[in-house]
Amino acid sequence: MADFDYDVLVIGAGPGGYVAAIRAAQLGLKTACAESRETLGGTCLNVGCIPSKALLHASELYEEATAGHLAKFGIELDGARLNLEQMMAEKSKAVGELTGGIEFLFKKNKVDWLKGHARFTGQHSVEVGGKTVTAKDIVIATGSSVMPLPGVEVDNDKGIVVDSTGALKLPKVPGKMVVIGGGVIGLELGSVWRRLGAEVTVVEYLPQILPGMDEEIRKEANKVFKKQGFKYKLGTKVTGCEVKGDKAILSMEPAKGGETETMEVDAVLVSIGRKANTDGLGLEAIGLATNERGQIETDHDFATGVEGVWAIGDVVPGPMLAHKAEDEGIAVAENIAGEVGIVNHDLIPSVVYTMPEIAGVGLTEEQAKEAGHEVKVGKFPFMANSRAKTNRDTDGLVKVIADAKSDRVLGVWMISSLAGTMIAQVTQAMEFGATSEDIAYTCHAHPTHSEAVKEAAMAVQGKPIHI
Ligand code: FAD
Ligand code: NAI
C-alpha cells in the first residue's frame, strides 16, 4: 500500500460518507474523508434530518401548549407564547452536538478529515484543499442538493422564497405560506410553520400528495392534514414567482393546462425533489459518466464502472434517505475490505415525520398487484386500538399487504403518531421472510400502538379481535 497516501478516501461526510469512513477504519484500512462543509454530517445533520426534526418536535410542543388540546386532559395553560429565536437556537445546538459527535468519532477511529472540495485528477487521486491525495479505493458519497424550479428564484437570505435550508431558519412566522411540492419536505416543513401559525397551502403537480406511497395511505394522509388546516392545490403547476417588497406573487395553472391564477403570500418553500451532486467532481478525469438523471450508476457492490471507484448514498439511484446511505456506507467499506457487504434495497423503510407519522416498507398494494401478486390485505384503524384511544391519538391505520398464496408479507404501510418507530418491527419481520401469520401470532405488549400491527396482520386472514 506504500504507493498510496490512503487505502480508502471517501468524498463527502454525510451519513453515507462518514459511516463508510468509520467502517473502513474499523476494518483496519487507512482512511481519509474529504468534506467541503465547515462541519461533518452532510445534508442530514446540517440542513436535513436533524434540524427538521428539531423544529418538528419543538413546533409540536408549541401546538400542544397553545391549541387547547391539553385542556381535555385537565391541563390548562395560559400565556404560552412563541420564542422563535430560542426555538432556532435549540435546533442549532442539537445540530452542533451531533456534527461535533462525528468529528469525535473520526478522531476516535483515526479517520483524517481533509477539509475542502475534492476533485478527481486521476483514478486514484483527488485534489482537495490545494493538495493532491492518493488512495487505492475512492468512495463518492457527495450526496444531493435542492432541485431548482425554473421561474422561481430561491433567496434563503431574504427568507421569502426559500428552499428547505431557508425554511429551517425563517426569521418570522409567515402569515401565508405556499409549499411547492406535496412530498416529504413540503409536508414536514409545512407542518412546522403551520403549527407555529402560518396558513399553509400545498401546491402539488400530481393529483395526490406523497407520490410513491400506498394509494390508500396517501388519501388518508391527505384527509388528516386537511383536518389539521393544510390547504391544497393538487394537479397544479407553478409557472412563475415574483417578489414584490416582502410578498411573493405566485402564478400557477392546472397541470393539464388551463387558466393561470395568482396568489400573494409571505413565504414560498420550493420542495420539488433533490438532485445528485456531481458538479465540479472531475468525473471526466476518470471517464465516469452519469445517467440521464445525473446520478452515478453502480453494481450491487457499489462499484462504479471505474476500478477502485465506488459510489453510495443520494448520488446513486434509489430513495434519497439517510439510513439507506448509512447502510450503503457500511456495505461499501466491507466490500472494499474484501468482506461481503449487502444492502437489501427492497426493504428500505420510509417515514414522514409529521404528526401523525406516515411510514411504509416493501411494496404498495398497487406495486404488489403490478408485480403479478394476488394479494390479501389486512387493515386495522387506530380508532380501535386501546392505547391510541386512551391517548386520544386515533388518527391513522396499519395496512398489511400479503401474498394470497404464500401469505408472505409484501408491504406494510401505516399512519400513526408512532409509525416511524413501529415500522422497524415489520421491516425486521420482512427481512426474515415473515408471513402475516408470523406477525399475527407474535405476542405484542398491551396496551401499545404496536398491537395495531398484530391486528392488521390478523385481519389478513379476516380474524382481527377488536373490529
Ligand atoms: P449528504 O448528506 O448530502 O452528504 C454529502 C456531503 O458531501 C455534503 O456534506 C457535501 O458538502 C459533501 N460534498 C459534496 N461534494 C463534495 C466534494 N466534491 N468534495 C467534498 N465534499 C463534497 N432522510 C432521512 O432518512 N430521514 C429524514 O428525516 C430526512 N430528513 C430530511 C430533511 C431535509 C430538509 C432534507 C433536505 C433531507 C432529509 N433527508 C432525510 C434526506 C437525507 O438528508 C439524505 O438522504 C442524506 O443526507 C444523504 O446522505 P449522503 O451521505 O448520500 O449525502
Ligand atoms: P419529494 O420527491 O418527496 O417530493 C417532491 C414533490 O414535488 C412531489 O410530490 C412532486 O410530484 C412534486 N413536484 C415536482 N415538481 C413540481 C412542480 N413543478 N410543481 C408542483 N409540484 C411538483 O421531494 P422533497 O420533498 O423535495 O424531498 C427530497 C428528498 O429528501 C426526498 O427524496 C426524500 O426522500 C428526502 N427527505 C426525506 C425525509 C424523510 O425521510 N422523512 C424528509 C425530507 C426529505
Side-chain angles (χ1 to χ4, degrees):
M1 222 46 60
D3 296 337
F4 299 110
D5 298 323
Y6 291 97
D7 297 322
V8 180
L9 167 62
V10 182
I11 306 178
Y18 84 71
V19 168
I22 291 173
R23 180 54 125 221
Q26 284 174 344
L27 293 168
L29 300 170
K30 188 176 180 212
T31 307
C33 183
E35 171 56 59
S36 54
R37 257 178 228 278
E38 296 293 308
T39 47
L40 300 172
T43 304
C44 176
L45 271 64
N46 288 285
V47 291
C49 327
I50 298 304
S52 59
K53 265 79 254 177
L55 291 185
L56 278 159
H57 178 66
S59 60
E60 197 186 322
L61 294 177
Y62 175 74
E63 192 173 40
E64 294 254 302
T66 53
H69 298 162
L70 296 179
K72 62 177 173 284
F73 297 108
I75 304 160
E76 289 172 7
L77 287 173
D78 286 322
R81 62 193 177 278
L82 178 64
N83 180 343
L84 188 60
E85 216 174 299
Q86 174 56 30
M87 195 177 274
M88 292 293 170
E90 193 61 11
K91 170 205 70 174
S92 302
K93 193 163 165 237
V95 167
E97 284 166 10
L98 289 164
T99 56
I102 308 300
E103 212 172 323
F104 165 79
L105 290 173
F106 269 17
K107 284 189 188 130
K108 181 178 161 205
N109 288 284
K110 302 193 172 46
V111 174
D112 289 343
W113 173 9
L114 309 178
K115 296 186 184 181
H117 184 90
R119 186 175 58 86
F120 278 96
T121 50
Q123 192 177 342
H124 298 285
S125 62
V126 301
E127 192 185 274
V128 53
K131 281 192 198 142
T132 296
V133 182
T134 60
K136 180 168 181 288
D137 288 285
I138 300 180
V139 180
I140 302 171
T142 48
S144 64
S145 46
V146 173
M147 179 99 74
L149 177 58
V152 183
E153 199 180 318
V154 164
D155 184 342
N156 285 335
D157 292 333
K158 261 198 188 153
I160 300 172
V161 182
V162 295
D163 58 23
S164 56
T165 302
L168 289 167
K169 55 175 188 191
L170 291 181
K172 59 179 197 295
V173 180
K176 284 188 179 177
M177 180 176 195
V178 157
V179 166
I180 308 178
V184 196
I185 292 183
L187 292 166
E188 287 189 0
L189 295 180
S191 288
V192 166
W193 293 105
R194 185 201 55 72
R195 290 169 190 169
L196 299 181
E199 184 191 300
V200 178
T201 304
V202 176
V203 180
E204 165 59 50
Y205 186 80
L206 296 172
Q208 187 54 278
I209 58 168
L210 292 172
M213 296 208 150
D214 185 271
E215 208 53 50
E216 206 171 352
I217 295 292
R218 292 172 72 186
K219 278 190 203 138
E220 188 59 31
N222 177 317
K223 272 196 241 159
V224 171
F225 291 133
K226 199 177 216 168
K227 205 167 70 180
Q228 294 177 356
F230 270 98
K231 294 187 163 42
Y232 300 110
K233 283 196 176 289
L234 303 177
T236 304
K237 68 175 174 207
V238 170
T239 50
C241 178
E242 202 187 334
V243 174
K244 275 194 183 158
D246 57 358
K247 302 278 183 199
I249 295 125
L250 274 182
S251 314
M252 55 192 105
E253 61 184 44
K256 291 179 182 156
E259 273 186 29
T260 300
E261 66 169 305
T262 58
M263 196 182 203
E264 188 180 277
V265 294
D266 305 287
V268 175
L269 163 59
V270 182
S271 48
I272 59 161
R274 295 178 62 81
K275 60 179 176 57
N277 285 335
T278 55
D279 285 353
L281 192 54
L283 292 182
E284 57 291 345
I286 56 169
L288 184 58
T290 54
N291 68 14
E292 69 287 350
R293 299 191 61 206
Q295 300 157 322
I296 298 175
E297 298 273 354
T298 67
D299 66 11
H300 197 64
D301 294 332
F302 309 103
T304 68
V306 178
E307 209 202 320
V309 179
W310 312 71
I312 56 164
D314 279 10
V315 79
V316 306
M320 289 180 162
L321 296 172
H323 41 283
K324 178 234 180 213
E326 287 188 55
D327 285 7
E328 291 180 348
I330 290 174
V332 77
E334 291 177 350
N335 288 328
I336 289 171
E339 298 187 357
V340 181
I342 296 171
V343 176
N344 180 359
H345 285 105
D346 291 337
L347 292 182
I348 307 284
S350 57
V351 181
V352 187
Y353 296 89
T354 45
M355 181 52 71
E357 296 174 341
I358 302 158
V361 66
L363 301 179
T364 64
E365 186 177 346
E366 299 74 41
Q367 288 167 340
K369 286 177 178 162
E370 262 168 42
H373 291 280
E374 192 188 321
V375 299
K376 265 194 165 178
V377 172
K379 287 182 267 185
F380 192 82
F382 280 93
M383 195 58 125
N385 170 273
S386 60
R387 186 65 182 277
K389 262 185 109 64
T390 309
N391 289 3
R392 304 294 186 236
D393 174 29
T394 50
D395 280 338
L397 74 158
V398 177
K399 175 172 178 178
V400 174
I401 301 148
D403 182 89
K405 292 195 190 87
S406 65
D407 190 36
R408 191 172 168 145
V409 178
L410 302 171
V412 179
W413 295 85
M414 54 178 92
I415 300 181
S416 160
S417 57
L418 297 175
T421 303
M422 291 194 296
I423 202 68
Q425 95 159 77
V426 287
T427 308
Q428 193 165 40
M430 288 171 71
E431 192 67 64
F432 285 90
T435 59
S436 77
E437 192 183 46
D438 290 330
I439 298 177
Y441 282 97
T442 299
C443 190
H444 286 63
H446 174 76
T448 59
H449 289 65
S450 295
E451 286 172 289
V453 176
K454 178 187 170 92
E455 293 255 22
M458 292 166 92
V460 172
Q461 302 305 328
K463 292 177 192 152
I465 298 294
H466 292 95
I467 42 170

